[in-house]
Amino acid sequence: DSGVTQTPKHLITATGQRVTLRCSPRSGDLSVYWYQQSLDQGLQFLIQYYNGEERAKGNILERFSAQQFPDLHSELNLSSLELGDSALYFCASSVGWGDTQYFGPGTRLTVL
Amino acid sequence: AQKITQTQPGMFVQEKEAVTLDCTYDTSDQSYGLFWYKQPSSGEMIFLIYQGSYDEQNATEGRYSLNFQKARKSANLVISASQLGDSAMYFCAMREVDNNAGNMLTFGGGTRLMVKP
């Protein structure tokens, strides 16, 4: 157990819908990262927050947004969902912005 | 742009034997970090080992060691005395160390390791 928690574990929804994935980092970690793992794209970095501020942005679609709250938990919002958004979404956290990242168990999103 | 290449999509190893998983990387950065993660069939990503680009010694963590050859840009993972529980996907990743770029990891395509009893 990495200490990073993600909810929900599984999510099944329909195209066009909006979902929110939640992540709580390890105690003491200030950075939160979101990654997407799909069969065709592999593991891709989406976005990083450090102590509430966006720090780095990767291949994140405009339909996706994220934020990190004062208590350091983070949410990833996915809207206007498409079939291709079906993937395993990981949250990771690290102490600072450049330290080893520890991953949560992931949220498996299925868009029907 | 960074790139991580894992050329072995799948590998078999006999239980109790050692196995090497290959990883090559491409970067123009002088300062970078290399990581290996394990992903069992249950799906979680488990951190195994880290090597910094300036580290002179190869990293070791229990049965895991990282064979770091900077000139060849390779960072192979060696697992000694394989166990059935080592059967999983293994991902090599590189971190760009840049004050303006945050701390994103770039992952290779992974190697599926299967340990035979």
Side-chain angles (χ1 to χ4, degrees), chain B residues 5-87:
Chain B
T5 303
Q6 296 180 252
T7 57
Q8 307 150 312
M11 288 187 70
F12 284 95
V13 64
Q14 198 68 41
E15 192 179 9
K16 298 180 186 176
E17 291 186 351
V19 62
T20 298
L21 306 184
D22 294 342
C23 172
T24 58
Y25 59 92
D26 183 25
T27 181
S28 55
D29 294 343
Q30 296 301 309
S31 180
Y32 51 89
L34 297 157
F35 298 80
W36 279 90
Y37 286 86
K38 172 185 178 182
Q39 186 176 37
S41 57
S42 52
E44 71 267 34
M45 293 285 288
I46 302 167
F47 165 70
L48 295 178
I49 196 166
Y50 164 78
Q51 179 87 41
S53 59
Y54 292 120
D55 294 341
E56 294 186 357
Q57 302 274 351
N58 284 341
T60 60
E61 288 286 349
R63 294 187 299 112
Y64 304 108
S65 60
L66 202 152
N67 184 0
F68 181 47
Q69 299 188 44
K70 196 170 181 176
R72 294 186 177 185
K73 292 189 175 178
S74 74
N76 299 337
L77 177 70
V78 180
I79 305 175
S80 62
S82 296
Q83 301 173 357
L84 296 178
D86 294 334
S87 294

Side-chain angles (χ1 to χ4, degrees), chain A residues 16-57:
Chain A
Q17 295 297 306
R18 181 179 189 274
V19 298
T20 297
L21 313 184
R22 184 187 168 102
C23 167
S24 292
R26 296 184 317 159
S27 177
D29 285 2
L30 297 178
S31 273
V32 168
Y33 313 80
W34 288 97
Y35 290 85
Q36 179 195 58
Q37 185 178 32
S38 61
L39 285 174
D40 54 344
Q41 302 280 351
L43 263 160
Q44 289 202 85
F45 169 76
L46 296 178
I47 198 163
Q48 176 198 359
Y49 282 85
Y50 174 74
N51 204 19
E53 293 187 4
E54 183 183 303
R55 185 78 193 197
K57 217 166 185 176

Side-chain angles (χ1 to χ4, degrees), chain A:
Chain A
D1 186 350
S2 68
V4 180
T5 60
Q6 289 187 249
T7 56
K9 196 174 175 79
H10 301 278
L11 199 48
I12 301 174
T13 188
T15 54
Q17 295 297 306
R18 181 179 189 274
V19 298
T20 297
L21 313 184
R22 184 187 168 102
C23 167
S24 292
R26 296 184 317 159
S27 177
D29 285 2
L30 297 178
S31 273
V32 168
Y33 313 80
W34 288 97
Y35 290 85
Q36 179 195 58
Q37 185 178 32
S38 61
L39 285 174
D40 54 344
Q41 302 280 351
L43 263 160
Q44 289 202 85
F45 169 76
L46 296 178
I47 198 163
Q48 176 198 359
Y49 282 85
Y50 174 74
N51 204 19
E53 293 187 4
E54 183 183 303
R55 185 78 193 197
K57 217 166 185 176
N59 298 321
I60 187 166
L61 300 172
E62 285 191 11
R63 300 183 285 107
F64 296 0
S65 65
Q67 55 183 325
Q68 186 180 26
F69 295 86
D71 67 353
L72 301 178
H73 91 271
S74 178
E75 293 180 356
L76 178 67
N77 300 296
L78 316 175
S79 62
S80 303
L81 285 167
E82 301 174 359
L83 296 177
D85 297 327
S86 295
L88 187 54
Y89 290 85
F90 284 109
C91 169
S93 73
S94 68
V95 174
W97 70 268
D99 299 298
T100 296
Q101 297 177 32
Y102 293 89
F103 282 70
T107 293
R108 185 166 295 281
L109 174 67
T110 303
V111 182
L112 301 175

